[in-house]
């Protein structure tokens, strides 16, 4: 059975898309740790990131790097933080979150944003993606 993230990447479940290619998909986390929190996934269904083979792992991280660069241009912040946990969804995903201090990255304190704001953030990141 397809994971929820495979369904999102296939467009079967709606998402705020920020970037995609034939092997990867990037979209806003529905419950962001900071505004602009993005999830980057391989389209291939592998639960645990370190079970990806070397090529898939490298390509995922290079794609995440391009997304992070777009986020840094689109959203005023000091850094784009990178995290991988995978405690909730069994499909590899890299969290990218704009931060201004270490304290911004509190995954136990996430706040949903209005749909309009989510769409506007996604559009501004997508516009910077190269
Ligand atoms: P983790 O598995 O790394 O602990 O976290 C999974 C992340 O996926 C969470 O931050 C959660 O908010 C996000 N998430 C779970 N389901 C959905 C969904 O259906 N759509 C989106 N955009 N994000 C989701």
């Amino acid at each position: 059975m397809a994971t929820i993230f495979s369904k999102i990447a296939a467009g079967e479940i709606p998402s705020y898309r920020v970037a995609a290619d034939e092997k990867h998909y990037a979209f806003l986390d529905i419950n962001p740790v900071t505004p602009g929190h993005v999830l980057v996934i391989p389209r291939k269904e592998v639960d645990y990131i370190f079970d990806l083979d070397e090529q898939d792992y490298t390509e995922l991280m290079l794609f995440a790097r391009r997304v992070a660069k777009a986020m840094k241009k689109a959203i005023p912040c000091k850094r784009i933080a990178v995290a991988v946990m995978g405690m909730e969804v069994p499909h590899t995903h890299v969290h990218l979150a704009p931060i201004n201090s270490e304290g911004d990255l509190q995954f136990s304190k996430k706040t949903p944003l209005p749909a309009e704001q989510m769409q506007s953030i996604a559009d501004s990141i997508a516009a910077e993606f190269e």
Side-chain angles (χ1 to χ4, degrees):
M1 206 179 78
T3 67
I4 187 163
F5 284 176
S6 284
K7 290 181 184 167
I8 285 174
E12 292 163 19
I13 293 177
S15 67
Y16 298 97
R17 168 183 152 145
V18 302
D21 70 7
E22 65 284 357
K23 293 179 81 172
H24 310 96
Y25 191 83
F27 57 107
L28 295 187
D29 193 305
I30 204 69
N31 202 11
V33 67
T34 58
H37 178 181
V38 168
L39 301 175
V40 182
I41 64 167
R43 292 184 187 273
K44 189 184 276 187
E45 284 187 359
V46 173
D47 178 359
Y48 183 45
I49 189 167
F50 298 123
D51 286 336
L52 290 170
D53 67 30
E54 284 188 3
Q55 182 171 347
D56 288 343
Y57 177 83
T58 303
E59 288 178 3
L60 173 66
M61 296 314 273
L62 287 173
F63 187 80
R65 180 172 179 265
R66 288 168 63 201
V67 175
K69 284 180 180 288
M71 291 168 65
K72 187 74 172 61
K73 285 185 188 163
I75 299 166
C77 62
K78 280 202 180 143
R79 298 278 179 175
I80 302 300
V82 186
V84 178
M85 293 166 293
M87 303 308 289
E88 191 184 322
V89 181
H91 184 138
T92 292
H93 48 286
V94 177
H95 295 259
L96 299 175
I99 58 165
N100 290 301
S101 71
E102 212 176 291
D104 288 346
L105 209 58
Q106 296 195 42
F107 284 93
S108 52
K109 283 191 192 164
K110 298 194 290 179
T111 317
L113 298 173
E116 226 173 74
Q117 194 179 347
M118 291 286 273
Q119 191 61 61
S120 148
I121 291 169
D123 290 347
S124 64
I125 298 170
E128 297 291 352
F129 183 72
E130 292 177 354

